Amino acid sequence: MTEHPMARIYGGTPHRFPMLLVDTVEALSPGFGRTFKQVSGNEVMFERFGDAPPALPSCLLVDALGQVAIMLLREPDEVTPSVWYLGGIEAMTFHTPIPAGSALRMEANILKRWRTTVRVEVKAWADAVPAASGVMVLSQRGSKSHESP
């Protein structure tokens, strides 16, 4: 029996519909991941666009890139995916809008990891056109400064 197509996604992120923004995983190895999302005109997020051409909002693109990043951070022995929080965004650049009908390719590459914090380089392409790039800082918990070592 083959593994369910969504098993790697559900096992790597706690997100579920309607906030799950990853459709398929192409590559997932320690430190690097590549995923895809088919941006459809039927997305829940496009319901209030009116007559404007639907495009993926940049805030949801950041969330999607974060989902790719946290898939990389799952420990092999974890039964359920860990919850990671966005601690910061460094120099995120949005190059082009992502219209409905696009194939969104997203990549994440771990730059540095220390304790419960990680810096991850993220990139996205709408079809073959660069859509966004930047660095995210993710953390599993709040500041540990109040905790004893």
Side-chain angles (χ1 to χ4, degrees), residues 10-40:
Y10 289 155
T13 178
H15 294 82
R16 297 296 182 263
F17 179 83
M19 289 308 300
L20 181 60
L21 300 169
V22 173
D23 291 337
T24 58
V25 175
E26 181 180 87
L28 196 57
S29 60
F32 177 79
R34 180 181 305 116
T35 66
F36 289 89
K37 174 167 184 49
Q38 297 297 322
V39 182
S40 164

Side-chain angles (χ1 to χ4, degrees), residues 90-130:
E90 300 175 4
M92 185 66 75
T93 304
F94 299 98
H95 307 288
T96 189
I98 302 166
S102 297
L104 179 63
R105 184 178 87 215
M106 299 174 285
E107 293 182 358
N109 183 34
I110 295 176
L111 299 175
K112 183 175 181 179
R113 186 174 187 163
W114 58 105
R115 295 190 187 209
T116 59
T117 304
V118 64
R119 286 184 76 227
V120 182
E121 177 185 39
V122 292
K123 296 179 181 179
W125 294 262
D127 298 315
V129 178

Side-chain angles (χ1 to χ4, degrees), residues 27-85:
L28 196 57
S29 60
F32 177 79
R34 180 181 305 116
T35 66
F36 289 89
K37 174 167 184 49
Q38 297 297 322
V39 182
S40 164
N42 295 327
E43 302 280 351
V44 173
M45 63 198 123
F46 295 152
E47 288 180 2
R48 298 188 184 190
F49 265 81
D51 293 335
L56 185 70
S58 57
C59 59
L60 291 180
L61 176 56
V62 169
D63 199 307
L65 290 165
Q67 290 177 24
V68 179
I70 64 174
M71 284 185 206
L72 300 178
L73 302 172
R74 181 172 186 221
E75 298 296 330
D77 59 345
E78 281 183 321
V79 175
T80 59
S82 295
V83 176
W84 288 82
Y85 300 97

